[in-house]
Amino acid sequence: MTVQPLGFQEFGPPQARLSETLRTDIAALPDAGAVARRRAQYLPEMPGGGVEGLAIAFEPREYDRVDKTDYEGAPREQVLAGLEAGGVVPAKAYANAEGLEVGDRLRLEGPAGVRDAEVVGIADTFDAGGQAVLMSLETMAAVYGVRNDTQLLVQAASPDRREALAERVDALIERDYPGLEALSNAELKESTTDAINQQFALFNAIVAIAVLVGVLGIVNTLTMSVLERTREIGVLRALGASRWRVRRTMGDESLLISLAGTLAGLLAGLVIGVVWVLGMRETTFPGMTMHLPVGMLLLLALAGVVVGVVAALLPARRAARLDPLTALRYE
């Protein structure tokens, strides 16, 4: 469970602060097992580069009881000891972007002081989109002067006491801290999933509109083609062309239109996707990689062709039903 200010936004100024007595109140609850402090400081410029990011601080041993972030470059115990000794742990994406390795030194500069800190590990975390550097509470206080918590991570004494703990924390917050909110891991995941699903729903709506416009465009193009070539269709029918032959002609034309549109759409989509990934990698999500979904692209190409052929059914039916004599007299 995470306790934080209402509407709390971890990345970007300003960072809200929690009351110093809140941790004590929650830790005193009967069902509470561990309560870990977490502090965050927005950095307009990260220590090793010119990008913005987040400094995240905690008491290493305390935090390790409630958070199981994977560390690379050194054993977990060594990383925790290094953090206690004043070292820092950059997020993996940030470390990769700046070429940081264990043993390197980062110069931390803040309103409270300056410190050269050793990189004691690499954290596989996505905090602040990977633009983060982890440190101890003492280091953050000495460099940035931050001594108030921004979040509390709460763990129940046992799995079967989670619901009871959640009810007690909610009651405590409602009674004494109305400006705060408590979120379980499930609620945090649900909130994140909902935000992602909303984005995909928007994209899917745009795709649906594009498909509808494409279908109407093919129908309109082929219908106009039938009207403009009425006499030509009459000549073909008079020369012995069957209705099936006329339908096939319309189908072939629709196939060419849908193939051209599908290939152009896939090419434009790939270009937009590559530009979007490169842009996100340079700003919000350094280290982001792109995977080309070949199977999905083939499926979309097939779907585009099928939709184009289906859109030709009505114009093809109209062309095949034209009376040859009427068509020959058409001006």
Side-chain angles (χ1 to χ4, degrees), residues 10-270:
E10 186 175 62
F11 187 77
Q15 266 75 50
R17 310 299 180 186
L18 299 179
S19 168
E20 294 182 3
T21 61
L22 176 60
R23 174 174 173 271
T24 304
D25 292 341
I26 294 179
L29 295 175
D31 301 297
V35 182
R37 295 162 289 176
R38 177 180 163 105
R39 300 172 184 173
Q41 175 64 33
Y42 168 72
L43 302 178
E45 182 176 340
M46 292 291 284
V51 297
E52 63 178 350
L54 206 65
I56 299 174
F58 45 79
E59 198 289 308
R61 306 290 177 181
E62 176 186 85
Y63 196 72
D64 193 55
R65 296 180 61 187
V66 298
D67 181 86
K68 298 303 178 184
T69 297
D70 293 328
Y71 298 114
E72 301 178 2
R76 190 177 193 85
E77 180 62 30
Q78 184 176 331
V79 172
L80 297 178
L83 284 169
E84 289 179 324
V88 294
V89 177
K92 185 175 181 180
Y94 171 62
N96 290 340
E98 300 299 329
L100 299 175
E101 298 179 353
V102 174
D104 293 343
R105 304 194 73 84
L106 279 178
R107 183 174 177 82
L108 307 178
E109 299 183 13
V114 179
R115 178 177 294 189
D116 286 329
E118 180 183 1
V119 176
V120 298
I122 306 297
D124 189 9
T125 178
F126 209 59
D127 282 306
Q131 295 283 17
V133 57
L134 314 182
M135 60 190 67
S136 67
L137 298 179
E138 186 276 330
T139 301
M140 175 168 280
V143 177
Y144 302 106
V146 177
R147 291 179 171 82
N148 294 320
D149 304 327
T150 54
Q151 289 178 316
L152 293 177
L153 278 67
V154 185
Q155 186 178 57
S158 61
D160 60 332
R161 300 168 73 176
R162 290 174 181 167
E163 292 187 7
L165 176 62
E167 292 177 359
R168 292 180 185 273
V169 171
D170 288 338
L172 172 65
I173 290 176
E174 184 178 355
R175 183 182 70 247
D176 299 332
Y177 305 93
L180 306 181
E181 64 178 345
L183 299 173
S184 66
N185 288 341
E187 289 172 332
L188 286 172
K189 292 179 180 178
E190 183 180 358
S191 176
T192 303
T193 301
D194 289 343
I196 294 174
N197 288 339
Q198 287 177 2
Q199 292 294 322
F200 277 104
L202 175 62
F203 293 149
N204 290 335
I206 294 174
V207 170
I209 293 173
V211 170
L212 178 61
V213 171
V215 170
L216 294 177
I218 292 176
V219 172
N220 181 67
T221 300
L222 294 180
T223 300
M224 293 301 298
S225 178
V226 172
L227 294 176
E228 293 173 355
R229 293 187 294 177
T230 299
R231 182 184 290 273
E232 177 184 336
I233 294 173
V235 171
L236 290 175
R237 295 285 283 119
L239 293 176
S242 63
R243 290 185 174 182
W244 168 248
R245 176 69 65 178
V246 174
R247 288 194 183 98
R248 181 177 174 181
T249 300
M250 293 293 103
D252 291 343
E253 186 171 340
S254 172
L255 183 61
L256 292 175
I257 295 174
S258 59
L259 278 175
T262 300
L263 292 177
L266 289 176
L267 180 60
L270 286 174

